[in-house]
């Protein structure tokens, strides 16, 4: 996505937040959130569009298009600047405190000048909230507790942390007497890259045994709230987990509702309204009679709305409803489609398992081919040498004869130097079956230099895959700055695949980039970047990210038969030029 699109997306999201804090129209706030999503997924650079073309973007009406045009021309938007001036940044942070919503946060600022969590804690200690309507001693106590919870949780967590916890809880609750179904829902089911809290949904005629078992789990540090339909806990890992129990007949409607996203659910409810129906977590009802129409399965709910079942990773209101109505939903790539893994490491460099151990684990996964891609010498701390790499190549060839059902490919992960060069000369690179090339240093280069660097790597006839494109590490390192449109064009032109790196703290490229790059005809490789046997299973998160990017099996080179993959790896677009 062009950089200006990212700036506009952030601007629109901020304005939606500001509207919510000031008690503005909720519909208007949602409209700006929707426009932000539309801008994020739009394939064109907003800076190249006129007002009429901006208005043509789904979700961007005349008013919002005018604000975008104002930002593009002046670098700011007057009404947003005015809203910022009224609300210090700290007030937005207050809304993250459990039990303290936007209206109360704004009241605290207007009445007491509180604009940070620290000021709020001090004000409660001085009993300054006592005279405010709606802020009695109990409310103050709850706020302090919410602050403690917020600080202890550390905010959102990576998807693997949330997934492991969710699967553990689901497995335990599924054994409780009377539990007919149990699964995770929410943003985790949609494979968002980070998770705020975990949503668990269960079906049972009597909710009491499930709620009791949930509260008594040994990973619970606190029961935040407990009821017949919903119980919330805090776990030893700092995450909040919400359990909702619904009657078995409501399962499908509840699963659809609690999976979200909110924006997707708004769209499905709008469709229901137009059909004189009402959709809730309890079912799809006839508005006039109040009779239940369907509710037992998600498929039933979507079908009655005139839609095919929509896979959860697509449920972000990024065109999935329209595609479903046209019968054009993609047949998403799945983990079962992967025939191999094209980016893995051993203990020859920074892996922790031997070559033999990694191969045994890969074969157990049923792969038809598998690439070993240890680091090249320019990543100095890995202490790679020509001799070590050639010795590994010989060993791979020996082992290849032992794995009749799995072809072994000897590769390497090259380092893209600041000028776009890679580690070895062409004659040495020619001995590899494939090469992944990644940025491991000089993350703060200028946008122009970084773009040239990546494009030059694509143009190298021996570079087959651009690894973890942006170099980001979620929560720790920002992505590099580049004209990714130019990079995507280079990938398509040269036959260089773009990696969907499955490591949970990378998930790089992200779904928005996938949506954008696919329009250029770019092909992708979903790789584990495994550094251990356990890491091989993390490829599920790359698959989830690819699904969020609407990828099919044909878009992903490591779903292809070996002969087709090998033809692609010869990179004829470059070598025959």
């Amino acid at each position: 996505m062009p950089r200006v699109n990212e700036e506009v997306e952030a601007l629109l999201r901020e304005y939606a937040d500001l509207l919510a804090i000031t008690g503005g129209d909720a519909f208007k706030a949602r409209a700006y959130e929707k426009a932000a999503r539309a801008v994020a997924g739009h394939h064109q650079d907003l800076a190249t569009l006129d007002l009429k073309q901006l208005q043509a973007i789904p979700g961007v009406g005349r008013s919002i298009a005018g604000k975008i045009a104002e930002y593009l021309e002046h670098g700011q938007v007057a009404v947003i600047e005015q809203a910022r001036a009224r609300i210090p940044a700290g007030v937005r942070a207050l809304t993250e405190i459990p039990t303290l919503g936007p209206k109360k946060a704004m009241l605290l600022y207007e009445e007491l000048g509180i604009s940070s969590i620290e000021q709020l804690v001090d004000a409660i200690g001085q009993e300054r909230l006592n005279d405010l309507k709606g802020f009695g001693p109990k409310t103050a106590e709850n706020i302090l507790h919410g602050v403690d919870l917020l600080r202890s949780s550390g905010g959102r967590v990576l998807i693997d942390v949330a997934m492991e916890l969710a699967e553990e809880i689901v497995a335990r609750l599924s054994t409780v007497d009377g539990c007919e179904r149990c699964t995770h829902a929410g943003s985790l089911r949609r494979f968002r890259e980070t998770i705020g809290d975990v949503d668990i949904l269960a079906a049972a005629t009597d909710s009491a045994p499930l709620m009791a078992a949930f509260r008594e789990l040994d990973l619970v540090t606190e029961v935040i709230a407990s009821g017949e339909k919903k119980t919330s806990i805090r776990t030893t890992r700092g995450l909040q987990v919400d359990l909702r129990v619904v009657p078995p007949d409501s399962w499908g409607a509840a699963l659809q509702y609690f999976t979200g996203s909110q924006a997707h659910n708004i769209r499905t409810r709008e469709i229901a309204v137009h059909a004189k129906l009402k959709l809730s977590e309890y079912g799809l009802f006839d508005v006039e009679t109040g009779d239940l129409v369907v509710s037992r399965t998600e498929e039933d709910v979507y079908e009655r709305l005139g839609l095919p079942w929509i896979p959860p990773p697509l449920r972000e209101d990024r065109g999935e409803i329209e595609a479903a109505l046209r019968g054009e939903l993609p047949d998403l790539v799945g983990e079962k489609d992967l025939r191999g893994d094209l980016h893995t490491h051993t203990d020859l460099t920074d892996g922790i398992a031997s070559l033999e151990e990694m191969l045994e684990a890969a074969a157990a996964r049923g792969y038809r081919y598998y690439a070993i891609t240890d680091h090249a010498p320019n990543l100095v701390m890995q202490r790679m040498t020509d001799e070590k790499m050639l010795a590994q190549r010989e060993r791979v060839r020996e082992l290849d004869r032992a794995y009749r059902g799995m072809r072994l490919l000897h590769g390497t992960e090259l380092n893209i130097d600041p000028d776009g060069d890679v580690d070895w000369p062409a004659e040495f690179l020619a001995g590899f079956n494939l090469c992944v090339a990644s940025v491991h240093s000089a993350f703060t280069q200028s946008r122009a230099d970084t773009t040239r660097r990546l494009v030059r790597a694509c143009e190298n006839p021996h570079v087959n895959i651009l690894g973890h494109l942006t170099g980001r590490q979620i929560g720790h390192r920002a992505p590099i700055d580049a004209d990714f449109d130019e990079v995507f064009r280079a990938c398509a032109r040269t036959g260089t695949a773009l990696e969907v790196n499955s490591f949970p703290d990378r998930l790089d490229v992200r779904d928005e980039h996938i949506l954008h790059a696919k329009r250029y005809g770019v092909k992708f490789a979903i790789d584990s970047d495994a550094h251990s046997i356990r890491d091989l299973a993390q490829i599920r998160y790359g698959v989830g990210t690819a699904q969020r990017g609407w990828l099919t099996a044909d878009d992903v080179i490591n779903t292809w038969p070996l002969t087709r993959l090998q033809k692609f790896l010869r990179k004829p677009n470059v070598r025959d030029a």
Side-chain angles (χ1 to χ4, degrees):
M1 181 174 60
R3 185 182 184 187
V4 70
N5 293 32
E6 296 173 347
E7 294 172 353
V8 172
E9 177 198 10
L11 189 73
L12 297 179
R13 289 190 186 280
E14 179 186 3
Y15 192 45
D17 289 343
L18 295 173
L19 287 170
I21 291 171
T22 55
D25 182 75
F27 178 81
K28 187 176 181 181
R30 286 198 298 270
Y32 278 89
E33 291 173 354
K34 182 177 180 178
R37 290 191 299 273
V39 165
H42 194 63
H43 62 285
Q44 292 176 286
D45 186 340
L46 298 188
T48 67
L49 306 181
D50 60 26
L51 186 60
K52 186 176 181 180
Q53 291 170 318
L54 289 171
Q55 286 183 233
I57 300 173
V60 177
R62 182 172 62 181
S63 176
I64 296 176
K67 291 180 177 63
I68 295 173
E70 182 181 349
Y71 176 76
L72 295 176
E73 183 176 356
H74 302 291
Q76 61 181 24
V77 179
V79 295
I80 298 179
E81 291 300 313
Q82 293 166 8
R84 284 173 173 168
R86 293 195 302 269
I87 307 168
V91 175
R92 294 175 64 186
L94 293 179
T95 63
E96 298 176 6
I97 300 172
T99 74
L100 188 66
K103 291 182 179 179
K104 284 188 174 180
M106 192 60 187
L107 182 63
L108 288 170
Y109 172 66
E110 291 176 335
E111 297 294 328
L112 300 176
I114 294 172
S115 59
S116 72
I117 293 175
E118 291 73 20
Q119 289 175 354
L120 176 57
V121 171
D122 289 342
I124 292 173
Q126 298 167 17
E127 300 185 349
R128 292 173 59 205
L129 272 61
N130 290 1
D131 295 331
L132 284 182
K133 184 178 180 179
F135 286 85
K138 184 61 176 177
T139 300
E141 181 184 335
N142 289 339
I143 290 173
L144 286 177
H145 191 52
V147 170
D148 290 338
L149 292 176
L150 179 65
R151 288 172 172 169
S152 66
S153 71
R156 299 178 71 84
V157 300
L158 298 178
I159 187 172
D160 62 324
V161 175
M163 186 69 80
E164 289 173 8
L165 175 64
E167 290 180 339
E168 179 181 354
I169 293 174
V170 167
R172 294 198 197 181
L173 295 182
S174 295
T175 65
V176 175
D177 287 343
C179 179
E180 295 193 17
R181 304 188 73 167
C182 188
T183 190
H184 62 269
S187 58
L188 184 59
R189 189 173 180 230
R190 303 197 315 274
F191 273 89
R192 290 287 300 271
E193 60 193 30
T194 62
I195 308 299
D197 27 72
V198 174
D199 295 296
I200 305 293
L201 185 68
T205 302
D206 180 6
S207 66
L210 274 166
M211 293 304 188
F214 183 55
R215 293 191 300 268
E216 294 165 7
L217 291 172
D218 56 10
L219 48 76
V220 175
T221 60
E222 177 190 11
V223 177
I224 301 170
S226 182
E228 182 181 346
K229 297 178 181 179
K230 177 184 175 182
T231 293
S232 299
I233 64 167
R234 181 74 55 181
T235 72
T236 53
R237 304 177 196 181
L239 267 175
Q240 178 173 325
V241 183
D242 299 329
L243 170 65
R244 293 175 175 86
V245 181
V246 299
D249 285 346
S250 297
W251 174 260
L255 185 58
Q256 193 278 332
Y257 181 87
F258 290 115
T259 293
S261 66
Q262 182 182 18
H264 176 86
N265 286 354
I266 289 171
R267 295 296 307 281
T268 55
R269 288 200 296 270
E270 288 172 350
I271 293 173
V273 168
H274 290 149
K276 300 187 184 307
L277 300 169
K278 179 182 178 182
L279 178 61
S280 73
E281 63 267 43
Y282 300 107
L284 191 61
F285 298 88
D286 185 292
V287 170
E288 294 182 358
T289 66
D291 293 340
L292 176 66
V293 179
V294 290
S295 65
R296 194 165 185 85
T297 71
E298 279 193 318
E299 289 80 359
D300 289 342
V301 172
Y302 279 107
E303 183 179 5
R304 183 59 183 82
L305 293 174
L307 299 167
W309 180 79
I310 298 176
L314 298 185
R315 300 181 196 177
E316 298 289 352
D317 191 23
R318 294 194 291 200
E320 73 276 8
I321 298 291
E322 291 79 6
L325 290 170
R326 296 192 304 266
E328 296 176 359
L329 282 178
D331 184 8
L332 297 178
V333 63
E335 192 172 354
K336 66 180 182 347
D337 295 316
L338 299 181
R339 296 174 186 248
D341 194 338
L342 302 179
H343 181 179
T344 68
H345 297 272
T346 74
D347 60 2
L348 183 62
T349 53
D350 57 350
I352 62 173
S354 69
L355 171 62
E356 290 79 4
E357 290 170 332
M358 293 297 286
L359 295 182
E360 184 177 350
R365 293 180 64 82
Y367 287 148
R368 305 298 294 173
Y369 45 80
Y370 180 80
I372 301 93
T373 54
D374 275 311
H375 289 287
N378 287 4
L379 199 61
V380 179
M381 73 281 292
Q382 303 305 331
R383 299 183 179 180
M384 178 56 71
T385 65
D386 294 8
E387 292 75 22
K388 286 182 180 179
M389 188 58 81
L390 290 173
Q392 186 188 64
R393 182 177 299 168
E394 185 59 33
R395 179 60 177 156
V396 168
R397 288 172 177 167
E398 292 173 4
L399 291 169
D400 187 38
R401 292 189 283 271
Y403 286 94
R404 295 298 180 186
M406 183 176 74
R407 177 66 189 276
L408 306 187
L409 305 175
H410 188 239
T412 184
E413 184 180 11
L414 301 166
N415 305 283
I416 305 175
D417 292 338
D419 60 0
D421 280 340
V422 294
D423 304 68
W424 279 296
E427 56 269 20
F428 195 92
L429 294 176
F432 291 104
N433 296 120
L434 81 159
C435 295
V436 180
S438 311
V439 171
H440 292 107
S441 62
F443 296 104
T444 58
Q445 276 186 304
S446 71
R447 179 180 175 86
D449 287 344
T450 301
T451 303
R452 282 193 292 270
R453 175 186 191 180
L454 294 171
V455 169
R456 190 174 178 202
C458 290
E459 292 172 342
N460 187 314
H462 299 287
V463 170
N464 305 111
I465 301 169
L466 279 187
H468 47 75
L469 176 67
T470 75
R472 72 165 183 171
Q473 290 183 342
I474 300 171
H476 297 283
R477 184 169 66 213
I480 57 175
D481 185 16
D483 181 348
F484 289 116
D485 280 282
E486 192 63 31
V487 177
F488 299 155
R489 279 191 286 267
C491 285
R493 171 171 52 85
T494 62
T496 306
L498 199 58
E499 180 179 71
V500 182
N501 189 290
S502 301
F503 239 72
D505 69 345
R506 289 191 183 275
L507 295 181
D508 187 11
V509 293
R510 60 183 303 181
D511 54 348
E512 288 91 344
H513 283 135
I514 295 171
L515 285 164
H516 197 48
K518 184 176 176 178
R519 295 189 178 99
Y520 288 95
V522 174
K523 295 300 183 183
F524 300 82
I526 303 174
D527 297 328
S528 69
D529 193 2
H531 287 64
S532 69
I533 291 171
R534 187 175 184 272
D535 289 346
L536 290 171
Q538 292 188 148
I539 208 160
R540 66 190 294 197
Y541 303 118
V543 171
T545 299
Q547 291 176 340
R548 289 179 59 79
W550 294 51
L551 293 188
T552 68
D554 192 59
D555 297 317
V556 180
I557 65 173
N558 51 319
T559 70
W560 298 350
L562 180 61
T563 52
R564 184 182 177 190
L565 173 66
Q566 289 174 321
K567 182 178 180 181
F568 180 87
L569 295 176
R570 286 195 290 272
K571 214 170 179 180
N573 293 11
V574 176
R575 298 188 188 192
D576 298 341

